[in-house]
Amino acid sequence: MSTNSRFLHMVYFWLREGGGGSDAAALAEGARRHLTKIPGVLRLDVGFPAGTERDVVDSSYGVALLVEFAGASGHDVYQDHPDHHCFIGECRHLWSRVQVYDTVIGH
């Protein structure tokens, strides 16, 4: 891996059954409040399904999270950081499933 590689941590949350817009908003707010100040986080964006309808698009999730790091070491700090654990503890009741895609770019 190149020293110029960046690390993208993409997390997709499926809301619990019966959860709606208020759960999506609470999850987004919790992510922004807890995760943005973790050392190593270069960028944190929260999004929602775009409504594009094509066979290759999965829009079944409720909230998407994109976190960018300068490299894998930043991601490692993030995973073990108390604020990350606090986010999970505070918000886990809002989701029924989580899918993560970690990607290295720029190498």
Side-chain angles (χ1 to χ4, degrees), residues 32-104:
R32 289 182 187 111
R33 184 165 30 87
H34 289 293
L35 305 177
T36 55
K37 295 181 183 173
I38 295 176
V41 172
L42 300 178
R43 169 179 153 203
L44 183 136
D45 289 313
V46 179
F48 308 94
T52 50
E53 295 186 24
R54 297 189 318 272
D55 290 343
V56 296
V57 176
D58 179 356
S59 296
S60 63
Y61 65 93
V63 177
L65 177 65
L66 170 68
V67 188
E68 182 177 354
F69 306 93
S73 62
H75 172 261
D76 295 344
V77 168
Y78 168 90
Q79 285 299 322
D80 290 329
H81 196 277
D83 289 349
H84 182 242
H85 295 292
C86 189
F87 163 72
I88 293 169
E90 181 181 298
C91 296
R92 76 170 359 128
H93 72 281
L94 298 170
W95 66 73
S96 61
R97 175 181 167 212
V98 176
Q99 183 67 51
V100 176
Y101 297 95
D102 288 334
T103 302
V104 176

